[in-house]
């Protein structure tokens, strides 16, 4: 539990006074989770986990002046950059994930079915006595799995064709849970006819998650099989959450990972006393400018995703070459948070390199988003994306607000009046009105319950600049709260900075 102390005692770090309560709480959580995402190469986990850790180091450094936090940041940035690769062969380094791409199998968790047979799957050499759904499942995966029992006589297998719309010539991740009883080895096999493309094997009696990456040939009729390694030994294999999906880059992930690195570059450029970090900052800048930024317009694999809108607006759209979200996309446009994140990155880099193309792209996006904000009783309401009437949610709005604040602080597009309206969104639309047990709605129009995600408040907390009660409400929420993830960590870092 947090032990924040409201006290007049100050702790001197690096010559700057910092109250001990929130800093102690931040340090305690950072010691627990600071390395949690560092070894992960998935762009999703780096973006929505590691990026918050790196940004929190900058916040705490700004409050304390202790360069040990910058040393932590550079150690993390070095590791994250080392994770970047060019698996698509387009000549640009970057990060990728299979979390958001179309799953090319139906009913992968076996939740639906007729009796013991899972829907969309076909038994091989069995009528149901040896292949059937069960309720023995890994924690958190659902209510059904499948069991394949060896009969010592012939093969017993379950199979499904891969969606013919899969992206050929690209790397896909085959993944799932499995376990065994007896002497069999359970296998999930992706086949092109009689050719095995990749395979997962399960040899333990406890549920185990595994994944592997393989290159899928174009224009083939592929199948996924659930089976044993042999039918001559006794035992059973269990499978759950068996999925196959493309390993693709996402602009919002590049943005979120890149922003704290870019902010470090700017901090070093603007702070003569940090000249010892100049070499690091220079190498990071080259990486972002030569690898990350240009690939969203110049990659032959992704395609040019920039789209001007009229003469003053613009946005980045989904890849014209790849179905990275859905094979039946409602629109080529991306949600506001995904594009605004990249605009945020461009604005920070522009403040260092002065590149007019960076500024042009960022300001066009700022106008595009600003013009879609709807005034309501002195507050702003906006949708999650242009193609939906669903309102933006509290969590993703942190990304939007981070960009809005960056534009405001650079004197571009957004004004103090806009910041006050955004502050009013939190207080007049989303806040429950309680000063002792504050809670916030799921969406910016006041609808829905955010539940535990209403602790994800790091960018909302920045609106304390226009109303000190915002900081007081967040502080009240975090007093007595047991934080456990990186979104909590960066919010604690902002509490340190605003205290």
């Amino acid at each position: 539990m947090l032990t924040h102390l409201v006290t007049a005692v100050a702790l001197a770090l690096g010559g700057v006074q910092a109250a001990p309560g929130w800093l102690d709480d931040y340090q305690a959580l950072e010691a627990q989770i600071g390395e949690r995402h560092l070894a992960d190469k998935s762009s999703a986990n780096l973006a929505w986990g590691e990026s918050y850790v790196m940004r929190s180091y900058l916040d705490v450094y700004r409050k304390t002046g202790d360069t040990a936090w910058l040393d932590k940041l550079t150690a993390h940035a070095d590791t994250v950059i080392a994770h970047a690769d060019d698996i698509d062969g387009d000549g640009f380094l970057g990060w990728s994930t299979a979390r958001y791409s179309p799953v090319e199998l139906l009913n992968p968790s076996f939740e639906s079915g007729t009796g013991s047979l899972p829907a969309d799957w076909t038994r091989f050499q069995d009528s149901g006595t040896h292949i059937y759904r069960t309720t023995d499942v890994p924690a958190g995966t659902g209510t059904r799995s499948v069991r394949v029992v060896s009969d010592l006589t012939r093969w017993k297998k379950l199979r499904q064709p891969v969606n013919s719309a899969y992206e050929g010539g690209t790397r896909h991740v085959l993944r799932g849970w499995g376990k065994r009883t007896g002497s069999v080895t359970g296998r999930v096999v992706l086949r092109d006819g009689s050719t095995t493309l990749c395979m997962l094997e399960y040899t333990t009696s406890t549920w185990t998650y595994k994944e592997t990456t393989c290159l899928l040939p174009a224009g083939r009729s592929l199948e996924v099989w659930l089976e044993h390694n042999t039918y001559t030994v006794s035992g059973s294999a269990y499978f759950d959450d068996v999925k196959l999906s493309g390993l693709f880059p996402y602009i919002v992930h590049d943005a979120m990972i890149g922003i704290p690195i870019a902010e470090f570059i700017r901090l070093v450029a603007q702070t003569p006393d940090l000249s010892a970090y100049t070499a690091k900052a220079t190498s990071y800048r080259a990486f972002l400018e030569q690898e990350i930024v240009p690939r969203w317009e110049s990659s032959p694999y992704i395609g040019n995703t920039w789209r001007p809108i009229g003469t003053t607006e613009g946005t980045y759209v989904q890849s014209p070459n790849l179905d990275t979200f859905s094979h039946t996309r409602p629109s080529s446009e991306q949600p506001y948070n995904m594009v605004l994140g990249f605009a945020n990155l461009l604005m920070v880099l522009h403040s260092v390199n002065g590149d007019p193309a960076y500024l042009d792209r960022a300001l066009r996006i700022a106008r595009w988003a600003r013009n879609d904000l709807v005034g309501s009783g002195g507050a702003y309401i906006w949708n999650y994306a242009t193609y939906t009437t669903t309102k933006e949610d509290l969590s993703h709005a942190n990304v939007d607000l981070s960009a809005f604040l960056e534009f405001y602080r650079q004197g571009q597009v957004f004004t103090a009046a806009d910041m006050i309206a955004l502050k009013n969104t939190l207080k007049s639309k989303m806040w429950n009105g309680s000063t002792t047990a504050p809670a916030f709605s799921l969406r910016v129009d006041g609808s829905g319950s955010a539940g535990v995600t209403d602790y994800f408040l790091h960018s909302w907390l920045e609106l304390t600049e226009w109303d000190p009660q915002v900081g007081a409400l967040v502080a009240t929420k975090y007093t007595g709260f047991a934080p456990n993830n990186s979104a909590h960590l960066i919010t604690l870092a902002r509490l340190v900075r605003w205290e």
Side-chain angles (χ1 to χ4, degrees):
M1 299 290 288
L2 290 181
T3 56
H4 177 60
L5 305 175
V6 181
T7 175
V9 179
L11 175 67
L13 285 178
V16 178
Q17 297 296 314
W22 294 123
L23 183 59
D24 288 347
D25 296 334
Y26 170 84
Q27 289 176 310
L29 183 59
E30 193 278 332
Q32 295 173 28
I33 70 167
E35 308 290 313
R36 177 179 290 177
H37 304 286
L38 197 54
D40 200 325
K41 295 185 179 181
S42 165
S43 67
N45 295 329
L46 293 174
W48 306 117
E50 176 58 30
S51 76
Y52 293 150
V53 175
M54 290 192 291
R55 286 190 93 171
S56 78
Y57 293 153
L58 288 167
D59 285 318
V60 177
Y61 164 75
R62 291 185 181 108
K63 180 67 174 184
T64 66
D66 186 348
T67 57
W69 298 110
L70 298 184
D71 294 338
K72 276 183 172 284
L73 186 150
T74 56
H76 281 235
D78 288 347
T79 300
V80 169
I81 290 173
H83 289 332
D85 55 37
D86 184 20
I87 63 167
D88 47 46
D90 66 353
F92 296 102
L93 296 176
W95 304 279
S96 56
T97 185
R99 182 183 296 182
Y100 302 104
S101 57
V103 176
E104 308 297 4
L105 295 172
L106 299 174
N107 194 24
S109 300
F110 317 109
E111 293 299 299
S112 62
T114 303
S116 65
L117 177 65
D120 304 301
W121 293 85
T122 302
R123 294 186 180 104
F124 177 75
Q125 296 189 157
D126 187 67
S127 60
T129 56
H130 292 80
I131 301 174
Y132 48 86
R133 295 198 298 161
T134 83
T135 57
D136 183 349
V137 297
T141 60
T143 62
R144 295 289 187 275
S145 68
V146 291
R147 182 183 184 187
V148 181
V149 183
S150 173
D151 74 348
L152 303 177
T153 303
R154 59 180 181 172
W155 293 110
K156 302 293 183 180
K157 304 183 182 185
L158 197 63
R159 64 182 178 183
Q160 184 183 149
V162 172
N163 184 356
S164 61
Y166 78 88
E167 301 285 353
T170 62
R171 295 190 180 277
H172 281 58
V173 176
L174 179 67
R175 59 198 188 277
W177 290 85
K179 68 173 184 174
R180 73 166 185 187
T181 62
S183 302
V184 303
T185 296
R187 301 197 305 194
V188 178
V189 187
L190 175 62
R191 289 193 173 99
D192 177 8
S194 60
T195 301
T196 295
L197 299 179
C198 53
M199 177 171 58
L200 307 172
E201 291 191 310
Y202 298 95
T203 59
T204 64
S205 60
T206 57
W207 282 107
T208 304
Y209 174 82
K210 291 189 175 184
E211 63 179 47
T212 188
T213 301
C214 52
L215 181 67
L216 270 58
R220 305 290 296 176
S221 296
L222 309 180
E223 285 189 313
V224 167
W225 293 71
L226 311 181
E227 59 186 41
H228 303 140
N229 63 324
T230 177
Y231 61 79
T232 62
V233 298
S234 61
S236 300
Y238 292 78
F239 305 97
D240 201 8
D241 256 10
V242 176
K243 297 178 179 179
L244 176 71
S245 48
L247 190 60
F248 299 134
Y250 293 87
I251 194 170
V252 65
H253 295 165
D254 278 6
M256 295 299 290
I257 301 166
I259 286 169
I261 298 173
E263 288 182 336
F264 169 79
I265 295 167
R266 179 169 63 184
L267 176 67
V268 172
Q270 295 176 349
T271 312
D273 288 347
L274 297 178
S275 59
Y277 295 95
T278 298
K280 283 284 187 187
T282 300
S283 67
Y284 295 165
R285 176 179 164 183
F287 172 77
L288 293 176
E289 292 178 353
Q290 296 171 20
E291 307 291 347
I292 300 303
V293 172
R295 77 168 176 160
W296 293 100
E297 296 188 35
S298 302
S299 165
Y301 177 75
I302 301 170
N304 182 6
T305 63
W306 173 250
R307 295 293 181 273
I309 301 173
T311 58
T312 61
E313 298 180 17
T315 186
Y316 285 93
V317 299
Q318 296 183 46
S319 167
N321 299 343
L322 305 165
D323 291 337
T324 58
F325 288 103
S326 170
H327 293 309
T328 56
R329 62 180 72 177
S331 169
S332 64
E333 288 197 1
Q334 302 200 68
Y336 290 110
N337 76 87
M338 296 187 181
V339 183
L340 284 166
F342 202 71
N344 192 342
L345 174 64
L346 292 175
M347 281 301 287
V348 177
L349 286 173
H350 174 264
S351 65
V352 176
N353 64 23
D355 190 322
Y358 285 36
L359 183 62
D360 173 72
R361 297 289 191 264
L363 294 187
R364 282 174 173 265
I365 293 167
R367 298 185 196 105
W368 168 72
R370 171 64 183 79
N371 290 339
D372 286 348
L373 300 179
V374 177
S376 175
Y380 281 146
I381 295 173
W382 66 103
N383 294 337
Y384 174 73
T386 58
Y387 53 81
T388 181
T389 58
T390 299
K391 302 309 175 190
E392 181 62 288
D393 64 84
L394 178 144
S395 180
H396 288 102
N398 281 292
V399 183
D400 306 342
L401 287 167
S402 178
F404 297 161
L405 286 158
E406 183 65 37
F407 289 123
Y408 165 75
R409 288 165 180 161
Q410 292 204 38
Q412 300 285 358
V413 182
F414 284 81
T415 66
D418 292 319
M419 299 299 107
I420 292 170
L422 291 164
K423 177 268 296 184
N424 291 339
T425 299
L426 183 70
K427 287 191 61 180
S428 67
K429 299 293 184 182
M430 304 176 71
W431 176 37
N432 68 351
S434 173
T435 57
T436 56
F440 303 98
S441 64
L442 174 64
R443 304 200 180 278
V444 296
D445 64 349
S447 64
S449 171
V452 295
T453 60
D454 80 343
Y455 286 90
F456 297 179
L457 293 163
H458 52 281
S459 292
W460 293 102
L461 184 51
E462 296 291 271
L463 300 175
T464 300
E465 183 173 340
W466 291 273
D467 188 338
Q469 190 179 31
V470 171
L473 293 173
V474 178
T476 299
K477 279 194 72 65
Y478 270 73
T479 299
F481 171 63
N484 56 51
N485 62 45
S486 56
H488 299 154
L489 185 71
I490 189 174
T491 305
L492 283 173
R494 298 278 164 90
L495 283 169
V496 171
R497 191 154 59 84
W498 279 103
E499 188 164 31

